[in-house]
Amino acid sequence: MQQIRAAILADDLAAVGSLPVPTQYRGLVVRADEVGMFEGLSTKDKDPRKSLHVQDVPTPALGPGEALVAVMASAINYNTVWTSIFEPLPTFGFLRRYGKVSELTRRHDLPYHVVGSDLAGVVLRTGAGVNQYRAGDEVVAHCLAVELEDPAGHDDTMLDPEQRIWGFETNFGGLAELALVKSNQLMRKPAHLTWEESACPGLVNSTAYRQLVSTHGANMRQGDNVLIWGATGGLGSYATQLALHGGATPICVVSSPEKAELVRSMGAELVIDRAAEGYQFWKDERTQDPKEWQRFGKRIRQLTGGDDPDIVLEHPGRETFGASVYVARRGGTIVTCASTSGFIHEFDNRYLWMSLKRIIGSHFANYREASLANRLVDKAKIHPTLSRTYPLDAAATAANDVHHNLHQGKVGVLCLAPEEGLGVRDAETRDRHLTAINRFRDR
Ligand code: NAP
């Protein structure tokens, strides 16, 4: 591994393909024999620092259509939080099911799960049938792993019955020194960004892109009012940028004055501090308070000059969904990709059908959508929202930060990169956008 790291750091990328592939590498794992460790604890008391371990694992054999990547940096996504607290289910069930698909996928069914759904790094080896990438290429990887043997997946790969999120529903993820991906997960690394900056937009930027911009999602138009929950979080920090860049008006919901200031610095003008304004959409565990939906809706109209949101970007789920359906405009769209606060939602259906609103389910993005989202980063139209990085050895602490909403934007992880700031190939573009690139740093 040292030789590979040294060659990359010396910019000797041509040498990478001829160096031996290490037989093992360090990765962040959960272990099958520990899935019961948090039984009886509440979600918030389940501590990722107890269940996530950095350990040596054997390098998997490379199959056709795949690439082994030397990972310079990765990022924490919320799915690693779910994996680490074994909620809603331990991910070993996903690995077992995937292992049954073919001889090749059996490699994934192991008593440990190397997690992580983002990476920036250098291709080490490619398998048979890989033509577009080769050893030495600097890449990022999106997290859609798809078999594509079924006709259902050929209009939109997210509809393939064998669609999985790499590093969550498959093994050999990106929070590691090496990762195994399908070659159709690879995209060019933006040249003006460091390793850790390029590793952080992938999953959330692509997801927000499909949710908001794509015709598979809300098909956002110029002038749309877009309500964005968690506007400084992973998804929200990209959704806010996509709305601003696409000529829409984000209405950013945050939970502190610091976060409000951060979204304002990005160019958002309409901001709601949900903590300061004290919205309580639920009176108790079973009863919602429509008066609070109304108060929230009035506040939105006050900010927009009387308009309701054309689009609501939903992910908090149970706590906010009733309000989201209520406040969307007549004919508007609620587009949801998650349920962080609970996946059984309740809303008043009269506000949906009588006002002809639509709820759209959205999940990650297909390769085309992910590459369009990556192009925006590559062209410095959308910027990374990296706030902090941790070394691989402390990745469990990084996951704990995200679990407890202690972070802003994205939390990065240095894997083979020994320090921050490496990997920039286009300093001129970087200099032009430095303020935006650094906006979330150390927040
Ligand atoms: P994140 O970085 O933790 O950001 C989420 C933000 O949402 C938080 O910062 C918080 O912001 C806000 N929030 C959390 N709970 C809330 C609540 N009860 N009410 C209102 N706002 C709340 O996480 P993320 O990366 O954006 O991911 C969010 C969710 O989407 C996770 O469940 C994740 O698994 C899911 N996700 C799904 C996909 C997919 O493809 N389906 C992709 C990415 C993420 P404030 O405290 O400032 O309000």
Side-chain angles (χ1 to χ4, degrees):
M1 200 66 75
Q2 288 314 323
Q3 277 180 305
I4 292 168
R5 186 204 310 254
I8 296 170
L9 293 177
D11 291 343
D12 191 6
L13 298 179
V16 167
S18 52
L19 294 172
V21 173
T23 54
Q24 56 178 29
Y25 66 100
R26 289 162 72 245
L28 185 72
V29 306
V30 287
R31 296 172 184 153
D33 60 6
E34 291 186 347
V35 298
M37 71 191 301
F38 296 136
E39 257 163 42
L41 295 183
S42 68
T43 298
K44 71 171 177 23
D45 290 331
K46 296 177 183 173
D47 188 340
R49 292 168 298 185
K50 295 192 172 139
S51 55
L52 289 167
H53 312 278
V54 175
Q55 70 177 49
D56 284 338
V57 295
T59 304
L62 182 65
E66 295 179 341
L68 256 184
V69 181
V71 183
M72 298 303 282
S74 182
I76 301 293
N77 284 294
Y78 214 95
N79 64 9
T80 288
V81 176
W82 296 125
T83 303
S84 70
I85 61 174
F86 309 110
E87 283 194 21
L89 294 165
T91 43
F92 289 97
F94 300 144
L95 302 185
R96 256 193 312 281
R97 273 200 296 285
Y98 190 33
K100 289 185 181 140
V101 172
S102 72
E103 193 58 38
L104 208 57
T105 66
R106 205 156 65 193
R107 291 166 302 164
H108 291 256
D109 183 8
L110 295 165
Y112 58 86
H113 185 183
V114 186
V115 294
S117 300
D118 271 316
L119 69 71
V122 177
V123 175
L124 269 188
R125 293 286 192 278
T126 53
V130 177
N131 304 309
Q132 301 222 6
Y133 288 90
R134 55 184 178 192
D137 285 346
E138 296 183 322
V139 292
V140 291
H142 71 77
C143 64
L144 168 61
V146 69
E147 303 306 302
L148 268 188
E149 289 188 292
D150 190 291
H154 283 256
D155 268 348
D156 173 10
T157 41
M158 284 306 296
L159 296 183
D160 193 275
E162 297 293 346
Q163 172 273 316
R164 289 178 175 80
I165 300 298
W166 160 71
F168 178 61
E169 293 164 296
T170 80
N171 219 321
F172 317 124
L175 286 160
E177 294 173 330
L178 293 185
L180 184 75
V181 297
K182 291 182 185 280
S183 69
N184 60 14
Q185 288 177 244
L186 296 174
M187 307 185 292
R188 302 282 165 197
K189 172 191 167 289
H192 65 293
L193 298 180
T194 64
W195 295 113
E196 61 279 7
E197 289 161 357
S198 1
C200 76
L203 184 146
V204 280
N205 186 36
S206 310
T207 306
Y209 184 92
R210 181 176 173 111
Q211 252 185 298
L212 279 190
V213 181
S214 169
T215 50
H216 292 120
N219 199 10
M220 185 185 81
R221 291 167 307 179
Q222 293 185 34
D224 276 352
N225 288 305
V226 184
L227 181 74
I228 299 171
W229 291 104
T232 63
L235 284 170
S237 59
Y238 292 90
T240 299
Q241 294 187 68
L242 289 166
L244 288 167
H245 183 64
T249 304
I251 305 153
C252 293
V253 187
V254 294
S255 64
S256 71
E258 295 73 32
K259 290 181 175 185
E261 183 203 314
L262 186 52
V263 285
R264 285 203 175 93
S265 78
M266 293 165 82
E269 292 172 352
L270 313 186
V271 184
I272 296 176
D273 180 340
R274 68 181 172 103
E277 296 180 24
Y279 296 102
Q280 295 287 346
F281 299 129
W282 291 80
K283 287 187 204 164
D284 57 49
E285 270 194 15
R286 290 208 202 97
T287 327
Q288 296 203 60
D289 186 352
K291 288 214 164 55
E292 284 293 90
W293 300 347
Q294 287 163 13
R295 184 163 77 92
F296 186 56
K298 269 193 199 136
R299 177 75 174 118
I300 293 169
R301 285 185 180 171
Q302 192 185 39
L303 290 171
T304 59
D307 290 335
D308 295 325
D310 299 276
I311 301 169
V312 181
L313 183 104
E314 243 299 332
H315 52 88
R318 183 170 173 82
E319 258 182 60
T320 55
F321 205 82
S324 294
V325 170
Y326 177 80
V327 300
R329 79 158 169 82
R330 194 173 171 80
T333 303
I334 302 97
V335 59
T336 174
C337 76
S339 291
T340 314
S341 64
F343 46 77
I344 305 292
H345 297 180
E346 279 176 29
F347 59 89
D348 186 332
N349 201 32
R350 291 170 297 177
Y351 295 113
L352 190 82
W353 102 69
M354 295 292 283
S355 297
L356 301 104
K357 304 179 188 182
R358 294 182 309 152
I359 296 172
I360 297 179
S362 191
H363 187 39
F364 188 58
N366 61 36
Y367 192 6
R368 173 78 174 144
E369 290 160 339
S371 68
L372 291 173
N374 186 55
R375 185 171 70 177
L376 290 168
V377 178
D378 191 41
K379 302 272 182 211
K381 311 270 188 205
I382 298 290
H383 303 290
T385 59
L386 182 69
S387 54
R388 186 171 298 172
T389 62
Y390 287 84
L392 182 59
D393 283 324
T397 305
N400 192 56
D401 282 3
V402 174
H403 182 26
H404 293 291
N405 200 12
L406 302 174
H407 67 303
Q408 315 258 24
K410 296 297 297 176
V411 181
V413 174
L414 298 176
C415 297
L416 287 172
E419 60 192 72
E420 295 185 12
L422 306 174
V424 175
R425 308 289 172 215
D426 176 358
E428 195 260 317
T429 304
R430 180 179 183 76
D431 283 347
R432 268 191 289 125
H433 297 281
L434 205 53
T435 305
I437 293 168
N438 284 332
R439 183 161 281 125
F440 277 67
R441 286 315 302 244
D442 298 323
R443 299 236 190 192

